[in-house]
Amino acid sequence: MLSRIAESLFWIGRYVERADNTARLLDVHLNVLLEDPWVDEPTANASLLAVMHVPVEGTATRETVLQSLATDPQRSSSITGTLGAARDNARRAREVISTEVWESLNTTYMQLGARSRTPRPHDFFLWVRERAAVVWGLHSATTSRDDAWNFMELGRSLERADMIARLLMTKALAGTTGPNWTTLLRTCSAHEAYLRTVRALVTEERAAEFLLIDRMFPRSIAYNLDKAETTLTLIEPGLSRHSQTDQARLALGRARTNLEYEAIDEILADLPAQMRHVQQACAMASDIIRDRFFLPSSSVLWSQEAV
């Protein structure tokens, strides 16, 4: 597979997943602001923007949060920006993705302007989640399990682990004014799965354990770190111990085992640092994948100009 195609597929996976999880995170954030009149809104907004690595000048208002994370088409952290970038990458990888996947991304992009201007942000977030589900459903139903599938799933797994870590960081940084664990489970579409698996009321330790290290639930951090490791093996089998790809697997494996073999109460006592470690592992793996499989930007530009 051409490196430019592999790179586009990788970023389609990341951008669609980022849009989905950003919508979930904003939805729970706005719900907390609406339901609890005692919340220090500027501080809560600033904490959320800090978790998403969005710089802010002055007081962080609700409008600032929505502009930066939902409607600004120029930001790679915003829903509008990520869905636009996903569509652009799909256009570049048009020769390998199915017509159904392309049409779903293109339709989503064409409807973004009208949908994002709704006076009810929750309706927009619900629509984004539904459109992401449509893309992933069509991707699953129409893509052969070859390298095209693997690169898209690799991007999706890394982004999901990173975004769930950010969601849990918002809970830790907000403290008692943040969303409760039942709300976090619902935000991750995990509440019903939790009840079936744990068969007990929601407690902090059990809910955190489910979202962090459950190996069967597809939105847990450990599940996605493990899936990214496995996908790397499928993309480049027979790895040597010192290969670049193996270094990416080692970074992801260390982050996963740190969660799986540490007591849950110790993780909760230092949750922000633990989640930053997960994010750093995902960022390191992403950088290694870029250097190993994708062309430098200058080479891509030169190839496009030559064509």
Side-chain angles (χ1 to χ4, degrees), residues 54-74:
V54 175
V56 60
E57 298 180 1
T59 303
T61 65
R62 193 174 310 189
E63 290 71 25
T64 303
V65 170
L66 290 174
Q67 171 70 15
S68 300
L69 298 180
T71 61
D72 188 346
Q74 303 304 318

Side-chain angles (χ1 to χ4, degrees), residues 206-273:
R206 288 171 175 167
E209 188 173 17
F210 189 75
L211 291 176
L212 288 169
I213 62 174
D214 189 273
R215 297 297 293 272
M216 302 296 290
F217 184 63
R219 285 192 173 273
S220 78
I221 292 177
Y223 178 97
N224 285 284
L225 293 175
D226 181 67
K227 186 174 182 180
E229 290 179 67
T230 303
T231 305
L232 281 169
T233 304
L234 294 174
I235 291 173
E236 193 172 16
L239 301 175
S240 67
R241 181 66 177 173
H242 302 291
S243 68
Q244 282 184 299
T245 308
D246 195 57
Q247 294 305 307
R249 288 184 56 213
L250 287 173
L252 297 172
R254 289 191 190 102
R256 176 177 53 81
T257 53
N258 283 344
L259 295 177
E260 291 180 328
Y261 293 101
E262 190 166 351
I264 192 64
D265 56 340
E266 294 179 7
I267 295 175
L268 288 171
D270 195 24
L271 191 58

Side-chain angles (χ1 to χ4, degrees), residues 92-109:
R92 288 191 285 270
R94 185 66 187 86
E95 62 201 74
V96 297
I97 65 172
S98 68
T99 299
E100 290 84 355
V101 172
W102 159 250
E103 288 180 347
S104 66
L105 285 168
N106 192 49
T107 299
T108 301
Y109 175 77

Side-chain angles (χ1 to χ4, degrees), residues 9 25 29 37 54 62 65 69 88 101 119 123 144 195 204 217 235 245 289 300:
L9 293 168
L25 194 152
H29 177 74
V54 175
R62 193 174 310 189
V65 170
L69 298 180
D88 290 341
V101 172
D123 292 341
S144 296
L195 294 177
E204 181 180 28
F217 184 63
I235 291 173
T245 308
I289 291 164
V300 174

